[in-house]
Amino acid sequence: MTKDNLIHARTCVYNVNYHFVWSVKYRHKLLNERIEKRLKEICSEIAKDKEFIIREFEVGEQDHVHVFVSAHPKIAPSYIVKMLKGITARKLFIEFPELKRKCWKGHLWNSSFYIETIGSISEEVIRQYIQKQQKGG
């Protein structure tokens, strides 16, 4: 763990990171360059407003999104995804009406998502560290 990764908050010091992936409903290739650019802007606004940090954001094959996020432990990962998917869908439908016509039943995103926690230390290193702690007494 390096000090560069640590974020100091009022009640804790943390390094909490997530990798999220979600796709366009039915994997339709709708996220062209114009929409991708606006999608990134909207996600940056959401992150600032909801107080988490987007470290990386990319659209893949015009049909899915990868996001690397750092967040305070009090913010549930499901809340982060809910905000990103919900707000972006609403705003993109307003700004790009052609999207709504191409999306069956008006859903931009698939209802599921992938999540993975990301850390700077491997699980094995953490296990060894805990196992080597001295017993109090």
Side-chain angles (χ1 to χ4, degrees):
M1 176 171 34
T2 65
K3 290 183 180 184
D4 297 339
N5 296 353
L6 302 179
I7 299 172
H8 296 264
R10 189 175 64 81
T11 58
C12 63
V13 177
Y14 64 92
N15 178 26
V16 179
N17 304 292
Y18 305 103
H19 173 210
F20 297 112
V21 183
W22 67 86
S23 63
V24 173
K25 190 85 169 176
Y26 305 113
R27 298 298 291 249
H28 292 305
K29 298 193 180 298
L30 302 176
L31 305 177
N32 61 37
E33 285 183 36
R34 260 181 52 238
I35 294 171
E36 177 181 356
K37 182 176 186 276
R38 185 61 184 129
L39 177 60
K40 287 180 180 182
E41 292 169 355
I42 295 168
C43 286
S44 292
E45 294 166 8
I46 295 166
K48 185 177 179 187
D49 185 49
K50 303 298 180 186
E51 299 179 337
F52 58 87
I53 301 164
I54 295 178
R55 303 272 184 209
E56 295 289 333
F57 183 104
E58 285 301 326
V59 168
E61 301 174 17
Q62 294 187 342
D63 68 359
H64 67 279
V65 176
H66 288 268
V67 188
F68 178 37
V69 172
S70 294
H72 191 285
K74 71 180 178 183
I75 304 174
S78 57
Y79 175 79
I80 295 169
V81 175
K82 179 182 175 182
M83 291 298 105
L84 290 172
K85 289 172 68 177
I87 295 170
T88 57
R90 186 171 34 87
K91 288 188 175 190
L92 289 174
F93 280 153
I94 291 168
E95 296 178 30
F96 301 95
E98 69 273 14
L99 277 178
K100 195 144 193 168
R101 288 190 296 274
K102 294 177 182 178
C103 293
W104 189 64
K105 291 192 177 181
H107 296 283
L108 177 59
W109 306 120
N110 189 323
S111 60
S112 64
F113 65 93
Y114 170 80
I115 179 173
E116 180 175 25
T117 56
I118 308 297
S120 59
I121 303 173
S122 72
E123 178 181 336
E124 185 57 34
V125 170
I126 292 169
R127 286 180 186 278
Q128 289 173 4
Y129 176 77
I130 292 171
Q131 291 167 0
K132 290 179 182 177
Q133 295 302 299
Q134 289 183 340
K135 303 292 182 215

Coordinates of all heavy atoms in Angstrom, one line a residue, residues 45-125:
E45 N -20.0 14.8 -13.9 CA -20.9 15.6 -13.2 C -21.6 14.9 -12.0 O -21.6 15.4 -10.9 CB -22.0 16.2 -14.0 CG -21.5 17.2 -15.1 CD -22.6 17.5 -16.2 OE1 -23.7 17.1 -16.0 OE2 -22.2 18.1 -17.2
I46 N -22.0 13.7 -12.3 CA -22.6 12.8 -11.3 C -21.6 12.5 -10.2 O -21.9 12.6 -9.0 CB -23.2 11.5 -11.9 CG1 -24.3 11.8 -12.9 CG2 -23.6 10.5 -10.8 CD1 -24.6 10.6 -13.7
A47 N -20.4 12.1 -10.5 CA -19.4 11.8 -9.6 C -19.1 13.0 -8.6 O -19.0 12.8 -7.4 CB -18.1 11.4 -10.3
K48 N -19.0 14.2 -9.2 CA -18.7 15.4 -8.4 C -19.9 15.6 -7.5 O -19.7 15.9 -6.3 CB -18.5 16.6 -9.3 CG -18.1 17.8 -8.6 CD -17.9 19.0 -9.5 CE -17.5 20.2 -8.7 NZ -17.4 21.4 -9.6
D49 N -21.1 15.5 -8.0 CA -22.3 15.8 -7.2 C -22.5 14.7 -6.0 O -22.9 15.1 -4.9 CB -23.5 15.8 -8.1 CG -24.8 16.2 -7.3 OD1 -24.8 17.2 -6.6 OD2 -25.8 15.4 -7.5
K50 N -22.2 13.5 -6.3 CA -22.4 12.4 -5.4 C -21.2 12.1 -4.6 O -21.2 11.1 -3.8 CB -22.9 11.1 -6.1 CG -24.2 11.3 -6.9 CD -25.3 11.7 -6.1 CE -26.6 12.0 -6.9 NZ -27.7 12.5 -6.1
E51 N -20.1 12.8 -4.8 CA -18.9 12.7 -4.0 C -18.1 11.4 -4.1 O -17.7 10.8 -3.1 CB -19.1 13.1 -2.5 CG -19.7 14.5 -2.4 CD -20.0 14.9 -1.0 OE1 -20.2 14.0 -0.1 OE2 -19.9 16.1 -0.7
F52 N -17.9 10.9 -5.3 CA -17.0 9.8 -5.6 C -16.1 10.3 -6.8 O -16.4 11.3 -7.4 CB -17.7 8.5 -5.8 CG -18.7 8.5 -7.0 CD1 -18.3 8.2 -8.2 CD2 -20.0 8.7 -6.7 CE1 -19.2 8.1 -9.3 CE2 -21.0 8.6 -7.8 CZ -20.5 8.3 -9.0
I53 N -15.1 9.5 -7.0 CA -14.1 9.9 -8.0 C -14.1 8.8 -9.2 O -13.9 7.6 -8.9 CB -12.7 10.0 -7.4 CG1 -12.7 11.0 -6.3 CG2 -11.6 10.3 -8.5 CD1 -11.4 10.9 -5.4
I54 N -14.2 9.3 -10.4 CA -14.0 8.4 -11.5 C -12.5 8.5 -11.9 O -12.1 9.5 -12.4 CB -14.9 8.8 -12.7 CG1 -16.4 8.6 -12.3 CG2 -14.6 7.9 -13.9 CD1 -17.4 8.9 -13.3
R55 N -11.8 7.4 -11.8 CA -10.4 7.3 -12.1 C -10.2 7.0 -13.6 O -9.3 7.6 -14.2 CB -9.7 6.2 -11.3 CG -9.8 6.4 -9.8 CD -8.7 7.3 -9.3 NE -8.8 7.3 -7.8 CZ -8.4 8.4 -7.1 NH1 -7.9 9.4 -7.7 NH2 -8.5 8.4 -5.8
E56 N -11.0 6.1 -14.2 CA -11.0 5.8 -15.6 C -12.4 5.5 -16.1 O -13.2 5.0 -15.3 CB -10.2 4.5 -15.8 CG -8.7 4.6 -15.5 CD -7.9 5.5 -16.5 OE1 -8.3 5.6 -17.7 OE2 -6.9 6.1 -16.1
F57 N -12.7 5.9 -17.3 CA -14.0 5.6 -17.9 C -13.8 5.4 -19.4 O -13.2 6.3 -20.1 CB -14.9 6.9 -17.7 CG -16.3 6.7 -18.2 CD1 -17.3 6.5 -17.3 CD2 -16.6 6.8 -19.6 CE1 -18.6 6.3 -17.8 CE2 -17.9 6.6 -20.0 CZ -18.9 6.4 -19.1
E58 N -14.3 4.3 -19.9 CA -14.2 4.0 -21.3 C -15.4 3.3 -21.8 O -15.9 2.4 -21.1 CB -12.9 3.2 -21.7 CG -11.6 4.0 -21.7 CD -11.6 5.2 -22.6 OE1 -12.2 5.1 -23.7 OE2 -11.0 6.2 -22.2
V59 N -15.8 3.5 -23.1 CA -16.8 2.8 -23.7 C -16.1 1.7 -24.6 O -15.2 2.0 -25.3 CB -17.7 3.7 -24.6 CG1 -18.6 2.9 -25.5 CG2 -18.5 4.6 -23.7
G60 N -16.7 0.5 -24.6 CA -16.1 -0.6 -25.4 C -17.1 -1.0 -26.4 O -18.2 -1.2 -26.2
E61 N -16.6 -1.1 -27.6 CA -17.3 -1.7 -28.8 C -18.7 -1.0 -29.0 O -19.6 -1.6 -29.5 CB -17.4 -3.2 -28.7 CG -16.1 -3.9 -28.6 CD -16.2 -5.4 -28.3 OE1 -17.3 -5.9 -28.5 OE2 -15.2 -6.0 -28.0
Q62 N -18.8 0.2 -28.5 CA -20.0 1.0 -28.7 C -21.3 0.4 -28.0 O -22.4 0.8 -28.2 CB -20.4 1.3 -30.1 CG -19.4 2.2 -30.9 CD -19.9 2.5 -32.2 OE1 -20.7 1.9 -32.8 NE2 -19.2 3.6 -32.8
D63 N -21.0 -0.6 -27.1 CA -22.2 -1.3 -26.5 C -22.0 -1.6 -25.0 O -22.9 -2.1 -24.4 CB -22.5 -2.6 -27.2 CG -21.5 -3.7 -27.1 OD1 -20.5 -3.5 -26.4 OD2 -21.7 -4.7 -27.6
H64 N -20.9 -1.2 -24.4 CA -20.7 -1.4 -22.9 C -19.8 -0.3 -22.4 O -19.0 0.3 -23.1 CB -20.3 -2.8 -22.6 CG -18.9 -3.2 -23.0 ND1 -18.6 -3.6 -24.3 CD2 -17.8 -3.2 -22.3 CE1 -17.4 -3.8 -24.4 NE2 -16.8 -3.6 -23.2
V65 N -19.8 -0.2 -21.0 CA -19.1 0.8 -20.3 C -18.2 0.2 -19.2 O -18.7 -0.7 -18.5 CB -20.1 1.8 -19.7 CG1 -19.3 2.9 -18.9 CG2 -20.9 2.5 -20.7
H66 N -17.0 0.7 -19.1 CA -16.1 0.3 -18.0 C -15.8 1.5 -17.2 O -15.4 2.6 -17.8 CB -14.7 -0.2 -18.6 CG -14.8 -1.6 -19.2 ND1 -14.6 -2.7 -18.5 CD2 -15.1 -1.9 -20.5 CE1 -14.7 -3.7 -19.3 NE2 -15.0 -3.3 -20.5
V67 N -16.0 1.4 -15.9 CA -15.7 2.6 -15.0 C -14.9 2.1 -13.8 O -15.2 1.1 -13.2 CB -17.0 3.2 -14.5 CG1 -16.7 4.5 -13.8 CG2 -18.0 3.5 -15.6
F68 N -13.8 2.8 -13.5 CA -13.0 2.6 -12.4 C -13.3 3.7 -11.4 O -13.0 4.9 -11.7 CB -11.5 2.5 -12.8 CG -10.6 2.3 -11.7 CD1 -10.8 1.5 -10.6 CD2 -9.3 2.9 -11.7 CE1 -9.9 1.3 -9.5 CE2 -8.4 2.7 -10.7 CZ -8.7 1.9 -9.6
V69 N -13.8 3.4 -10.2 CA -14.3 4.4 -9.3 C -13.6 4.3 -7.9 O -13.4 3.2 -7.5 CB -15.8 4.3 -9.1 CG1 -16.4 5.2 -8.0 CG2 -16.5 4.6 -10.4
S70 N -13.3 5.4 -7.3 CA -12.9 5.4 -5.9 C -14.0 6.1 -5.1 O -14.5 7.2 -5.5 CB -11.6 6.2 -5.7 OG -10.5 5.5 -6.3
A71 N -14.4 5.5 -3.9 CA -15.5 6.1 -3.2 C -15.3 6.0 -1.7 O -14.6 5.0 -1.2 CB -16.8 5.5 -3.6
H72 N -15.8 6.9 -0.9 CA -15.8 6.8 0.5 C -16.6 5.5 0.9 O -17.6 5.1 0.3 CB -16.6 8.0 1.1 CG -16.4 8.1 2.6 ND1 -17.1 7.3 3.5 CD2 -15.6 9.0 3.3 CE1 -16.7 7.6 4.7 NE2 -15.9 8.7 4.7
P73 N -16.1 4.8 2.0 CA -16.8 3.5 2.4 C -18.3 3.7 2.7 O -19.0 2.7 2.6 CB -16.0 3.1 3.7 CG -14.8 3.9 3.6 CD -15.0 5.1 2.8
K74 N -18.8 4.9 3.0 CA -20.2 5.1 3.3 C -21.1 5.0 2.1 O -22.3 4.9 2.2 CB -20.4 6.4 4.0 CG -20.2 7.6 3.1 CD -20.4 9.0 3.9 CE -20.2 10.1 2.9 NZ -20.3 11.4 3.6
I75 N -20.5 5.1 0.9 CA -21.2 5.1 -0.4 C -21.3 3.7 -0.9 O -20.3 3.1 -1.2 CB -20.6 6.0 -1.4 CG1 -20.5 7.4 -0.9 CG2 -21.4 6.0 -2.7 CD1 -19.7 8.4 -1.8
A76 N -22.5 3.1 -0.9 CA -22.7 1.7 -1.4 C -22.4 1.7 -2.9 O -22.8 2.5 -3.7 CB -24.1 1.3 -1.2
P77 N -21.6 0.6 -3.3 CA -21.4 0.5 -4.8 C -22.6 0.4 -5.6 O -22.7 0.9 -6.7 CB -20.5 -0.8 -4.8 CG -20.5 -1.4 -3.5 CD -21.0 -0.4 -2.5
S78 N -23.7 -0.3 -5.1 CA -24.9 -0.3 -5.9 C -25.5 1.0 -6.1 O -26.1 1.3 -7.1 CB -25.9 -1.3 -5.2 OG -26.2 -0.8 -3.9
Y79 N -25.3 1.9 -5.1 CA -25.8 3.3 -5.2 C -25.1 4.0 -6.4 O -25.7 4.8 -7.2 CB -25.7 4.1 -3.9 CG -26.0 5.5 -4.0 CD1 -27.3 5.9 -3.9 CD2 -25.0 6.5 -4.1 CE1 -27.7 7.3 -4.0 CE2 -25.3 7.8 -4.1 CZ -26.7 8.2 -4.1 OH -27.0 9.6 -4.1
I80 N -23.8 3.8 -6.4 CA -22.9 4.5 -7.5 C -23.4 4.1 -8.8 O -23.7 4.9 -9.7 CB -21.4 4.1 -7.3 CG1 -20.9 4.7 -6.0 CG2 -20.6 4.6 -8.5 CD1 -19.5 4.2 -5.6
V81 N -23.6 2.8 -9.0 CA -24.1 2.3 -10.3 C -25.5 2.8 -10.6 O -25.8 3.2 -11.8 CB -24.1 0.7 -10.4 CG1 -24.7 0.2 -11.7 CG2 -22.6 0.2 -10.3
K82 N -26.4 2.7 -9.6 CA -27.7 3.2 -9.8 C -27.7 4.7 -10.3 O -28.5 5.0 -11.2 CB -28.5 3.1 -8.5 CG -29.9 3.6 -8.6 CD -30.6 3.4 -7.2 CE -32.0 4.0 -7.2 NZ -32.6 4.0 -5.9
M83 N -26.9 5.5 -9.7 CA -26.9 6.9 -10.1 C -26.3 7.1 -11.5 O -26.8 7.8 -12.3 CB -26.0 7.7 -9.1 CG -26.6 7.9 -7.7 SD -28.2 8.8 -7.7 CE -29.3 7.4 -7.5
L84 N -25.2 6.4 -11.8 CA -24.6 6.5 -13.1 C -25.5 6.0 -14.2 O -25.7 6.7 -15.2 CB -23.2 5.7 -13.1 CG -22.1 6.3 -12.3 CD1 -20.9 5.3 -12.3 CD2 -21.7 7.7 -12.8
K85 N -26.1 4.8 -14.0 CA -27.0 4.3 -15.1 C -28.3 5.1 -15.2 O -28.7 5.4 -16.3 CB -27.3 2.8 -14.8 CG -26.1 1.9 -15.0 CD -26.3 0.5 -14.6 CE -27.3 -0.2 -15.4 NZ -27.5 -1.6 -15.0
G86 N -28.9 5.4 -14.1 CA -30.2 6.1 -14.1 C -30.1 7.5 -14.6 O -30.9 7.9 -15.5
I87 N -29.2 8.3 -14.1 CA -29.1 9.7 -14.6 C -28.6 9.8 -16.0 O -29.2 10.6 -16.8 CB -28.2 10.5 -13.6 CG1 -28.9 10.5 -12.2 CG2 -28.0 11.9 -14.1 CD1 -28.0 11.1 -11.1
T88 N -27.6 8.9 -16.4 CA -27.2 9.0 -17.8 C -28.2 8.6 -18.8 O -28.4 9.3 -19.8 CB -25.9 8.2 -18.0 OG1 -26.2 6.8 -17.6 CG2 -24.7 8.7 -17.2
A89 N -29.0 7.6 -18.4 CA -30.1 7.2 -19.4 C -31.1 8.3 -19.6 O -31.4 8.6 -20.7 CB -30.8 5.9 -18.8
R90 N -31.5 8.9 -18.5 CA -32.5 10.0 -18.6 C -32.0 11.1 -19.4 O -32.6 11.6 -20.3 CB -32.9 10.4 -17.1 CG -34.0 11.4 -17.1 CD -34.5 11.7 -15.7 NE -33.5 11.7 -14.6 CZ -32.8 12.7 -14.3 NH1 -32.9 13.8 -14.9 NH2 -31.9 12.6 -13.3
K91 N -30.8 11.6 -19.1 CA -30.2 12.7 -19.8 C -29.9 12.4 -21.2 O -30.1 13.3 -22.1 CB -29.0 13.2 -19.1 CG -29.3 13.9 -17.7 CD -28.1 14.6 -17.1 CE -28.5 15.4 -15.9 NZ -27.4 16.2 -15.4
L92 N -29.4 11.2 -21.5 CA -29.0 10.9 -22.9 C -30.3 10.8 -23.8 O -30.3 11.2 -24.9 CB -28.2 9.6 -23.0 CG -26.8 9.7 -22.5 CD1 -26.1 8.4 -22.4 CD2 -26.0 10.7 -23.3
F93 N -31.4 10.2 -23.2 CA -32.6 10.2 -23.9 C -33.2 11.5 -24.3 O -33.7 11.8 -25.4 CB -33.7 9.4 -23.1 CG -33.6 7.9 -23.2 CD1 -34.0 7.1 -22.2 CD2 -33.0 7.3 -24.3 CE1 -33.9 5.7 -22.2 CE2 -32.9 5.9 -24.4 CZ -33.4 5.1 -23.3
I94 N -33.0 12.5 -23.4 CA -33.5 13.9 -23.6 C -32.6 14.5 -24.7 O -33.1 15.1 -25.6 CB -33.4 14.7 -22.3 CG1 -34.5 14.2 -21.4 CG2 -33.6 16.2 -22.6 CD1 -34.4 14.7 -20.0
E95 N -31.3 14.4 -24.6 CA -30.4 15.1 -25.5 C -30.2 14.4 -26.9 O -29.9 15.0 -27.8 CB -29.0 15.2 -24.8 CG -29.0 16.1 -23.6 CD -27.7 16.2 -22.9 OE1 -26.6 16.1 -23.6 OE2 -27.7 16.3 -21.7
F96 N -30.5 13.1 -26.9 CA -30.4 12.3 -28.1 C -31.6 11.5 -28.3 O -31.7 10.3 -28.1 CB -29.1 11.3 -28.1 CG -27.8 12.0 -27.9 CD1 -27.3 12.2 -26.6 CD2 -27.1 12.6 -28.9 CE1 -26.1 12.8 -26.4 CE2 -25.9 13.2 -28.7 CZ -25.4 13.3 -27.5
P97 N -32.7 12.1 -28.8 CA -34.0 11.4 -28.9 C -34.0 10.2 -29.8 O -34.8 9.3 -29.6 CB -34.9 12.5 -29.5 CG -34.2 13.8 -29.5 CD -32.8 13.5 -29.2
E98 N -33.0 10.1 -30.7 CA -32.9 8.9 -31.6 C -32.6 7.7 -30.7 O -32.9 6.6 -31.1 CB -31.9 9.1 -32.7 CG -30.4 9.2 -32.2 CD -30.0 10.6 -31.8 OE1 -30.8 11.5 -31.6 OE2 -28.7 10.8 -31.7
L99 N -32.0 7.9 -29.6 CA -31.7 6.7 -28.7 C -32.9 6.0 -28.3 O -33.0 4.8 -28.2 CB -30.9 7.2 -27.5 CG -29.4 7.3 -27.6 CD1 -28.8 7.8 -26.3 CD2 -28.7 6.0 -28.1
K100 N -33.9 6.8 -27.9 CA -35.1 6.2 -27.3 C -35.9 5.4 -28.4 O -36.5 4.4 -28.1 CB -36.0 7.3 -26.8 CG -37.1 6.8 -25.9 CD -37.4 7.7 -24.8 CE -38.3 6.9 -23.8 NZ -38.4 7.6 -22.5
R101 N -35.8 5.9 -29.6 CA -36.4 5.1 -30.7 C -35.7 3.8 -31.0 O -36.3 2.9 -31.4 CB -36.5 6.0 -32.0 CG -37.4 7.2 -31.9 CD -37.6 7.9 -33.2 NE -36.4 8.5 -33.7 CZ -36.0 9.7 -33.4 NH1 -36.7 10.5 -32.6 NH2 -34.9 10.3 -33.9
K102 N -34.4 3.8 -30.8 CA -33.6 2.6 -31.0 C -33.6 1.6 -29.9 O -33.2 0.4 -30.0 CB -32.2 2.9 -31.4 CG -32.0 3.7 -32.7 CD -30.6 4.1 -32.9 CE -30.5 4.9 -34.2 NZ -29.1 5.3 -34.4
C103 N -34.1 2.0 -28.7 CA -34.1 1.2 -27.5 C -35.5 0.6 -27.3 O -36.5 1.4 -27.1 CB -33.7 2.0 -26.3 SG -31.9 2.5 -26.4
W104 N -35.6 -0.7 -27.3 CA -36.9 -1.3 -27.1 C -37.4 -1.0 -25.7 O -36.7 -1.1 -24.7 CB -36.7 -2.8 -27.3 CG -38.0 -3.6 -27.3 CD1 -39.0 -3.5 -28.3 CD2 -38.4 -4.6 -26.4 NE1 -40.0 -4.4 -28.0 CE2 -39.7 -5.1 -26.8 CE3 -37.9 -5.1 -25.3 CZ2 -40.4 -6.1 -26.2 CZ3 -38.6 -6.1 -24.6 CH2 -39.8 -6.6 -25.1
K105 N -38.7 -0.6 -25.6 CA -39.4 -0.2 -24.4 C -38.7 0.9 -23.6 O -38.8 1.1 -22.4 CB -39.6 -1.4 -23.5 CG -40.5 -2.4 -24.0 CD -40.9 -3.4 -22.9 CE -42.0 -4.4 -23.5 NZ -42.4 -5.3 -22.5
G106 N -37.8 1.7 -24.3 CA -37.2 2.8 -23.6 C -36.2 2.6 -22.6 O -36.0 3.4 -21.7
H107 N -35.5 1.4 -22.6 CA -34.5 1.1 -21.6 C -33.1 1.2 -22.3 O -32.9 0.5 -23.3 CB -34.6 -0.2 -21.0 CG -35.9 -0.4 -20.2 ND1 -36.0 0.1 -19.0 CD2 -37.1 -1.0 -20.5 CE1 -37.2 -0.2 -18.5 NE2 -37.9 -0.8 -19.4
L108 N -32.3 2.1 -21.9 CA -30.9 2.2 -22.5 C -30.0 1.1 -22.0 O -29.3 0.5 -22.8 CB -30.3 3.6 -22.2 CG -28.9 3.8 -22.7 CD1 -28.9 3.7 -24.2 CD2 -28.4 5.2 -22.3
W109 N -30.0 0.9 -20.7 CA -29.0 0.0 -20.1 C -29.6 -1.3 -19.7 O -30.8 -1.4 -19.3 CB -28.4 0.6 -18.8 CG -27.8 1.9 -19.0 CD1 -28.1 3.1 -18.4 CD2 -26.7 2.3 -19.9 NE1 -27.3 4.1 -18.8 CE2 -26.4 3.7 -19.7 CE3 -25.9 1.6 -20.7 CZ2 -25.4 4.3 -20.4 CZ3 -24.9 2.2 -21.4 CH2 -24.6 3.6 -21.2
N110 N -28.8 -2.4 -19.8 CA -29.2 -3.7 -19.3 C -29.4 -3.5 -17.8 O -28.7 -2.7 -17.2 CB -28.1 -4.7 -19.6 CG -28.4 -6.1 -19.3 OD1 -29.1 -6.4 -18.4 ND2 -27.9 -7.0 -20.2
S111 N -30.3 -4.3 -17.2 CA -30.6 -4.1 -15.8 C -29.5 -4.6 -14.9 O -29.4 -4.2 -13.7 CB -31.9 -4.8 -15.4 OG -31.8 -6.2 -15.7
S112 N -28.6 -5.5 -15.3 CA -27.5 -6.0 -14.5 C -26.2 -5.2 -14.7 O -26.1 -4.4 -15.6 CB -27.3 -7.5 -14.8 OG -26.9 -7.6 -16.1
F113 N -25.2 -5.5 -13.9 CA -23.9 -4.9 -14.0 C -22.9 -5.9 -13.4 O -23.2 -6.8 -12.6 CB -23.8 -3.5 -13.4 CG -24.0 -3.5 -11.9 CD1 -22.9 -3.6 -11.0 CD2 -25.3 -3.4 -11.3 CE1 -23.1 -3.6 -9.6 CE2 -25.5 -3.4 -9.9 CZ -24.4 -3.4 -9.1
Y114 N -21.6 -5.7 -13.7 CA -20.5 -6.4 -13.2 C -19.8 -5.5 -12.2 O -19.6 -4.3 -12.5 CB -19.6 -6.9 -14.3 CG -18.3 -7.4 -13.8 CD1 -18.2 -8.7 -13.3 CD2 -17.1 -6.6 -13.7 CE1 -17.0 -9.3 -12.8 CE2 -15.9 -7.2 -13.3 CZ -15.9 -8.5 -12.8 OH -14.7 -9.0 -12.3
I115 N -19.4 -6.0 -11.1 CA -18.6 -5.3 -10.1 C -17.4 -6.1 -9.6 O -17.6 -7.3 -9.4 CB -19.4 -4.8 -8.9 CG1 -18.6 -4.0 -7.9 CG2 -20.1 -5.9 -8.2 CD1 -19.3 -3.3 -6.8
E116 N -16.3 -5.4 -9.4 CA -15.1 -6.1 -8.9 C -14.4 -5.0 -8.0 O -14.4 -3.9 -8.3 CB -14.2 -6.5 -10.0 CG -12.9 -7.1 -9.6 CD -12.1 -7.6 -10.7 OE1 -12.2 -7.1 -11.9 OE2 -11.3 -8.6 -10.5
T117 N -14.0 -5.5 -6.8 CA -13.3 -4.6 -5.9 C -11.8 -4.6 -6.4 O -11.3 -5.6 -6.8 CB -13.4 -5.0 -4.5 OG1 -12.9 -6.3 -4.3 CG2 -14.8 -4.8 -4.0
I118 N -11.2 -3.4 -6.3 CA -9.8 -3.3 -6.7 C -9.0 -2.7 -5.5 O -9.4 -1.8 -4.9 CB -9.7 -2.2 -7.8 CG1 -10.7 -2.6 -9.0 CG2 -8.3 -2.1 -8.3 CD1 -10.4 -3.9 -9.7
G119 N -7.9 -3.4 -5.2 CA -7.1 -2.9 -4.1 C -5.6 -2.8 -4.6 O -5.2 -3.3 -5.6
S120 N -4.8 -2.3 -3.7 CA -3.4 -2.2 -4.0 C -2.6 -3.3 -3.4 O -1.4 -3.4 -3.6 CB -2.8 -0.8 -3.5 OG -3.0 -0.7 -2.1
I121 N -3.3 -4.2 -2.6 CA -2.6 -5.3 -2.0 C -3.4 -6.6 -2.3 O -4.6 -6.6 -2.3 CB -2.6 -5.1 -0.4 CG1 -1.9 -3.8 -0.1 CG2 -1.9 -6.3 0.3 CD1 -2.0 -3.5 1.4
S122 N -2.7 -7.7 -2.6 CA -3.4 -8.9 -2.9 C -4.0 -9.5 -1.7 O -3.6 -9.3 -0.6 CB -2.4 -9.9 -3.5 OG -1.5 -10.4 -2.6
E123 N -5.0 -10.4 -2.0 CA -5.7 -11.1 -0.9 C -4.7 -11.9 -0.1 O -4.7 -12.0 1.1 CB -6.7 -12.0 -1.5 CG -7.5 -12.9 -0.5 CD -8.5 -13.8 -1.1 OE1 -9.0 -13.5 -2.2 OE2 -8.8 -14.8 -0.5
E124 N -3.7 -12.6 -0.7 CA -2.7 -13.4 0.0 C -1.9 -12.6 0.9 O -1.6 -13.0 2.0 CB -1.8 -14.1 -1.1 CG -0.9 -15.1 -0.4 CD -1.6 -16.2 0.4 OE1 -2.7 -16.6 0.1 OE2 -1.0 -16.6 1.4
V125 N -1.4 -11.4 0.5 CA -0.6 -10.5 1.4 C -1.4 -10.1 2.6 O -0.9 -10.1 3.7 CB -0.2 -9.3 0.6 CG1 0.5 -8.2 1.5 CG2 0.8 -9.6 -0.5

